[in-house]
Amino acid sequence: MESWPAFEGSSETLMLLCGQNILRLTLSYVDGLFIDWGDGTSTTLEGTNTRYQTSKTYSTDGDYYVTIIGNLKDIAFYWKYSSGSIFNRNSTALRAVLTPLPSTMSENTDCSLMFQYSSVEHIHPGLFSNLTNVTSFRGLFTMAPLKEIPETLFKYCPLATDFSNCFTNNGLITAIPEKLFEHNPLAENFSYCFYTLPELTSIPENLFANNPAATDFSYGFGSAGPIDIIPGNLFANNPNVRTFQGCFERCGAKEIGAGLFYNNLLAEDFSSCFLWADSLVYVGGNMFQAGGAANNFTSFMANCHQIGGYRPSAVPEVWTMYPTAAHDRAFYNVPMASNWNQIPSDWK
């Protein structure tokens, strides 16, 4: 991992590292703001503005240390209030955030889309350490080329409930810290959280161990992989989940551990859960228990055609546990499963 530049600043100072290209910022501030652009120029803002947008173009290659000082209340690294393509409004110069977001932002409750489509690669491990009131991180790093997720990223945000689309479409992340959500007991929404992470190699088994309020994992790991195994106890402490729709759709996992959904008796929607997860070769037992609320298995494991091909493996016999659930093409094209002949024809 690249080393962090040394920087000593106050809790009211934000420092960024930028390179050649355009830095675009949307700022909210009270009683003025000072921006040192790191190239010998600066901007002094007076008064109060809740929708200020500005940009800086760095025409030559180099390291530009941008310092923002003042009563900053909110920031986004793209132009929020401009029309047109997001690609004409994002920050292509931003490389790293070197300090935590300042304490002047402590009342902020919404960090949704803060870095969407930016070029940020590294962030301070305590980025949100001063923002203890945040409830939403929706779309936080959508399409951003973040290289590593700090384990302490959300440690100081116990009120956070929404992590949907948080790391969507990132082509560089290879690992998820096991304790990433350890301090977020109120977290509810993890839909699309790790969607399309093509370099992800593993999923920690205790990733959601402290998130009992979670209700939505739809498309959470869709198109992620290659992953050796989906841990069987991944959702063991999430009894309130209502949907796993598309959770591992097109995921590159090879195996599923035993008991994956055994404790999720309130979950209703499992449609497309493993649709086209065609790297799967083995499915652990006791994935479900009878008596739950499941009512939709449409395309559940459709086109998982390698299951049972390299190692004897059966698919879960949900047709006996939930015979009235929607089930069109639930097990379409899984002919090598050891219990293929026991699957009712209308479930295939």
Side-chain angles (χ1 to χ4, degrees), residues 7-8 13 51-52 57 64 145 161 166 191 199 228 258 341-342:
F7 176 70
E8 296 293 334
T13 301
R51 293 167 59 100
Y52 182 73
T57 300
Y64 301 94
T161 61
C166 195
S191 63
E199 298 301 318
D228 286 335
N341 292 330
Q342 282 72 57

Side-chain angles (χ1 to χ4, degrees), residues 137-159:
F137 289 106
R138 177 180 59 86
L140 183 64
F141 293 106
T142 296
M143 287 291 288
L146 197 64
K147 292 183 176 180
E148 185 176 18
I149 304 173
E151 185 177 77
T152 55
L153 183 59
F154 305 121
K155 179 178 180 179
Y156 305 97
C157 306
L159 304 181

Side-chain angles (χ1 to χ4, degrees), residues 193-327:
C193 186
F194 301 105
Y195 184 76
T196 312
L197 270 61
E199 298 301 318
L200 186 66
T201 59
S202 64
I203 301 174
E205 63 179 350
N206 293 310
L207 181 60
F208 306 114
N210 291 337
N211 311 121
T215 61
D216 190 346
F217 282 101
S218 56
Y219 299 93
F221 294 94
S223 298
I227 298 166
D228 286 335
I229 186 169
I230 300 171
N233 61 345
L234 183 61
F235 306 117
N237 295 327
N238 311 124
N240 292 298
V241 180
R242 296 308 199 270
T243 178
F244 287 103
Q245 180 185 15
C247 187
F248 299 100
E249 180 180 300
R250 298 182 186 272
C251 174
K254 297 177 182 178
E255 297 188 17
I256 303 173
L260 184 60
F261 303 122
Y262 196 82
N263 292 337
N264 309 118
L265 292 174
L266 296 183
E268 299 177 354
D269 193 349
F270 292 91
S271 62
S272 303
C273 190
F274 297 99
L275 174 65
W276 276 112
D278 54 7
S279 294
L280 276 176
V281 299
Y282 182 79
V283 180
N286 295 316
M287 180 178 285
F288 295 92
Q289 62 171 307
N295 59 30
N296 193 348
F297 289 98
T298 302
S299 297
F300 176 62
M301 281 187 169
N303 285 310
C304 296
H305 58 87
Q306 294 199 76
I307 293 175
Y310 299 92
R311 176 183 174 189
S313 180
V315 296
E317 298 186 357
V318 290
W319 57 88
T320 64
M321 300 178 189
Y322 302 98
T324 62
H327 54 261

